[in-house]
Amino acid sequence: MDGFVATYTNRLDQKGRVSVPAPFRSLLAREGQDGLYCYPALDQPAIDGGGSRLQEAIASRLAVFETFSEEHEILSTAFYGDSRVLKIDQDGRIVLPEEFRTYAGITDTVVFVGQGFKFQIWSPERFEERQKEARTHLRSVTRGLGRNNPGRSAAGDQA
Amino acid sequence: MDGFVATYTNRLDQKGRVSVPAPFRSLLAREGQDGLYCYPALDQPAIDGGGSRLQEAIASRLAVFETFSEEHEILSTAFYGDSRVLKIDQDGRIVLPEEFRTYAGITDTVVFVGQGFKFQIWSPERFEERQKEARTHLRSVTRGLGRNNPGRSAAGDQA
DNA sequence: TGGGATTGTATGGGCGTCAATGGAATCGCC
DNA sequence: GGCGATTCCATTGACGCCCATACAATCCCA
C-alpha cells in the first residue's frame, strides 16, 4: 500500500528549511525521485507536493491538447510555471520558497497532510480551520445517513 | 521525468546579456544541445526557447500537414523563419537579439517560464498579465466544466 | 522486566561552492 | 585603428553540504 498517509507537523528554521516527514521521503525515493515536485493548490491556501506520480497526473492532463495550441500553451504556463522542484538535502529537508510561504500563509511551522498519491503543506492555523469545517460537514453527512458517529474525521490526528 | 519547470527572473546587463537559469542550462545540456533554439511565440508577445525536444515537437507538428500545403507554409515560416540559435557563453549567458527584445517588449529584466518541453522568455510586466490569465483559466477548467470531455471542452482528466 | 545503549529523526548552525551579475580585457571584422 | 562581439575575471549573495545536538522509540541484555 503505497501512498502519503497521516499528518506531520514540523518547524521551519531560520533559513526556511523544514524536514520532509521520513515516511514521505522514503515513498518519494521509492517513486524514483530525488526532488520534490510542488505547486500551489488550486482551490486551497496550501501547497501540493509529490513525486513522479503527481507529475504524471499533471502531464496527462496536458497531453489531451495539441502541442502549440492555445489551450496547451496557457495550461502549461499555469502548471509548470507555478511549479517548483525542491531539492531534498541529505538531512531530508527542503527550503520552502517565499512565494509558497506567502501563498499558504506559512511562517514558522508547517503541516504535512498525506493525500494518497500526493500530499499537502499547510500553515497550522489554516489547516485547523479547514479541519473544523470538514468535521462539521462530515457530521451533517453522517447524521443524514443515520449512522453512529464513526469517530474522527478522515484526515487523522497529529503525529 | 524532466522538463522545464518553474519561473526565474533575471536581469539583462548593458550588453544585452542575460543568464539562462542554471536548471534550464543543465537540461539543455542533457538534451545534447549547446545552443539555445528560439523563435517568437506564435500567439504571444514572448520568445519560445528550448533544445532538441522543442525542435522535434515542431517537426512533428509540421509533419501532419502536407508539404507545400498552405498550413505547412505558414507554420514553417513562423517556426523556422524567425528562429535563432543563441549561443550560450561559458558563464551561462545569452545575448537576446534586438528583434526578440522588441517583439517581447523586454528592456532590462526578463522572466524565464518553464513549460515542460520548452520554456518562454517574457517581459515581467506582460508576463504578470499572462500569468493571471493562465491561473484564472486553469481554475475555470478544473472546476465544473466537463471533465470527461477532453476533446472540445477545456478539461482533461482528474489529477 | 527494567535500564542502558543504540538508532533514526528533527533541528540548529558553520562554511565552502556555485550561480548571477557587473565590468575589464581581448579578439575579430571592417 | 575603431567598434562590436566574445572571453575572462571579480564580487556578492544564496544555496548545498557537513557536523553537532536533542529527543524519542526500539533493542538488547542482564
Side-chain angles (χ1 to χ4, degrees), chain B residues 71-126:
Chain B
E71 294 88 348
H72 193 283
E73 292 289 303
I74 291 174
L75 273 182
S76 63
T77 301
F79 279 131
Y80 295 133
D82 297 319
S83 66
R84 299 282 140 83
V85 179
L86 303 184
K87 188 173 176 184
I88 300 178
D89 71 22
Q90 51 203 43
D91 292 334
R93 289 185 277 200
I94 53 173
V95 178
L96 263 192
E98 176 58 31
E99 319 91 79
F100 285 178
R101 273 181 281 166
T102 303
Y103 181 80
I106 289 167
T107 57
D108 64 345
T109 305
V110 300
V111 180
F112 291 84
V113 186
Q115 290 187 313
F117 71 101
K118 70 180 176 69
F119 60 87
Q120 288 186 326
I121 303 175
W122 286 79
S123 88
E125 299 79 20
R126 295 197 181 171

Side-chain angles (χ1 to χ4, degrees), chain A residues 2 20 32 57 60 78 80 86 94 102:
Chain A
D2 298 310
V20 177
S60 75
Y80 291 121
L86 304 185
I94 54 173
T102 303

Side-chain angles (χ1 to χ4, degrees), chain B residues 21-37:
Chain B
F24 289 8
R25 293 204 305 261
S26 69
L27 183 51
L28 288 170
R30 242 176 298 147
E31 287 186 12
Q33 287 276 126
D34 49 271
L36 175 61
Y37 188 83

Side-chain angles (χ1 to χ4, degrees), chain A residues 58-84:
Chain A
I58 289 174
S60 75
R61 295 193 69 173
L62 276 173
V64 299
F65 299 107
E66 194 76 51
T67 317
F68 299 112
S69 69
E70 175 58 18
E71 195 69 27
H72 193 282
E73 288 286 293
I74 197 162
L75 286 181
S76 65
T77 298
F79 274 133
Y80 291 121
D82 285 336
S83 294
R84 301 284 124 100

Side-chain angles (χ1 to χ4, degrees), chain A residues 77-124:
Chain A
T77 298
F79 274 133
Y80 291 121
D82 285 336
S83 294
R84 301 284 124 100
V85 179
L86 304 185
K87 189 169 191 175
I88 300 178
D89 71 21
Q90 52 201 46
D91 295 330
R93 288 183 282 197
I94 54 173
V95 297
L96 266 190
E98 175 59 31
E99 318 93 74
F100 284 179
R101 275 182 282 166
T102 303
Y103 182 80
I106 289 167
T107 56
D108 64 346
T109 305
V110 300
V111 181
F112 291 85
V113 185
Q115 293 188 329
F117 75 103
K118 70 179 176 71
F119 60 86
Q120 287 189 326
I121 303 175
W122 286 79
S123 91

Side-chain angles (χ1 to χ4, degrees), chain A residues 10-11 13-15 17 25 93:
Chain A
N10 287 342
R11 290 181 57 81
D13 65 17
Q14 289 164 337
K15 297 184 185 179
R17 297 178 299 185
R25 292 204 305 261
R93 288 183 282 197

